[in-house]
Amino acid sequence: MRIDLRSDTVTTPTPEMRKAMAEAEVGDDVYGEDPTIRRLEEKAAGLLGKEEGVYVPSGTMGNLVAVMTHTVRGNEIILEAESHIYYYEVGGFAVAAQVLPRTIAGDRGFFTVRDLATNLRSPNLHFPVPVLVCLENTHNRAGGSVWPQEQFDAVAQAAHRAGLLVHLDGARVFNAAVYLGRPAAEVARHADSVMFCLSKGLSAPVGSVLVGTKDFIARARKNRKILGGGMRQAGVIAAAGLVALDTMIDRLAEDHANARVLAEGLAGIEGLAVDLGGVQTNMVMCRVDGLGVAAPDFVKLLTSQGVLTNAVDPRRVRLVTHKDVSSADVKRALALIAEAAKEARRVA
Ligand code: TLP
């Protein structure tokens, strides 16, 4: 049996989710008549401490709707240079929202109040108007790192003082909350809007929720419609999202514990290197250059052994734990990876 460590997006719905999906009460959500979606949106808003929510098909659409709703054409948005919105969302902010990015190089995905201040140019005829700061927690390309809460709050408050709004790409905000031992509402307290995914560690098959003020969500609904995200009787999938929020948040701690074991095991394999201090949630970034092979080649070798991973750049492989990877799978994966590393070193 293969062990799929490519992403927590590969998780499959639980039996309880499938049952809830089969029995979901539905209606036409474009008319606001799907009771299951309405329940999901309310619950999501409550958990994040915001007024309202809107269900969207994907995290990418949730982030894009947020950017479209907070900005007008020609505005500037400020993002960390390796952020998902900037790096992995096909430049949707430029295509659909027609805004310009200003990127800040972060440390483990985070930047400081000072970094923000340096990047906020004083108003000038020549400059686009900055209106939005996007933060990511946990930070994907930094390896699932969690913003220190004081730093997150300080940056968000500094953005507000400068008259900017704050959007949180909280695809994995519940992983951050579990790591910090705080409610997600507290983690996201200073964000004006938050997008989080039901379809990652929480294991629902589809969907994300964007939350914010009542007025923001009303405008976001229109932008979701523009993007074709009005999904009619989507209560059948939202039902799984409700089960995810009821049953899958606390168990993320298991994924974090498995990631820690995985990271420590990898760090002990000759030719591999892991920054153990950076492993906080369910991801491990593993440097493979010590093997003398490029990350995509090592990924191919691992795949042939039944261990699925992703290369995130020429030197790093990402491994993600989730509910369909047990602690026994982690042990087995480590043994297979150790063999593959030996083989890679032999041929290099
Ligand atoms: N991330 C995926 C890939 O796109 C890289 C993954 O496997 O990790 N924000 C963050 C921080 C994300 O990690 C992702 C997905 C998204 C947004 C987009 O979510 P979806 O895939 O639902 O569009």
Side-chain angles (χ1 to χ4, degrees), residues 269-270 272 291 293 297-307 333-348:
I269 296 173
E270 197 183 331
L272 302 182
L291 295 175
V293 294
D297 295 328
F298 191 54
V299 165
K300 270 191 211 143
L301 185 58
L302 291 178
T303 304
S304 71
Q305 301 303 310
V307 180
L334 279 171
L336 291 164
I337 295 168
E339 275 307 305
K342 211 193 271 173
E343 172 64 11
R345 286 199 312 273
R346 196 183 60 77
V347 297

Side-chain angles (χ1 to χ4, degrees), residues 103-248:
T103 56
I104 300 180
D107 176 14
R108 290 194 177 164
F110 322 135
F111 54 86
T112 62
V113 170
R114 180 192 282 254
D115 294 328
L116 178 63
T118 319
N119 280 280
L120 278 176
R121 297 174 288 181
S122 23
N124 183 300
L125 176 68
H126 302 83
F127 303 152
V129 178
V131 295
L132 181 66
V133 177
C134 299
L135 306 176
E136 186 174 319
N137 202 12
T138 65
H139 193 288
N140 183 338
R141 282 187 63 78
S145 53
V146 180
W147 275 79
Q149 193 62 47
E150 306 69 51
Q151 189 173 343
F152 182 94
D153 292 347
V155 167
Q157 286 173 307
H160 287 152
R161 278 196 304 277
L164 277 72
L165 292 163
V166 176
H167 171 66
L168 170 59
D169 174 352
R172 298 183 180 82
V173 70
F174 289 106
N175 293 81
V178 165
Y179 174 81
L180 293 166
R182 295 171 187 245
E186 213 175 296
V187 175
R189 185 157 53 119
H190 292 290
D192 299 287
S193 58
V194 187
M195 181 288 293
F196 73 88
C197 294
L198 296 158
S199 59
K200 298 197 163 58
L202 300 183
S203 308
V206 187
S208 296
V209 187
L210 175 64
V211 299
T213 63
K214 198 171 172 351
D215 167 67
F216 170 80
I217 294 299
R219 291 182 291 118
R221 281 189 194 283
K222 276 196 103 88
N223 287 323
R224 181 186 69 166
K225 195 78 184 83
I226 287 177
L227 298 175
M231 292 189 291
R232 310 295 176 185
Q233 288 77 28
V236 287
I237 45 177
L242 275 165
V243 176
L245 292 179
D246 284 339
T247 65
M248 303 298 283

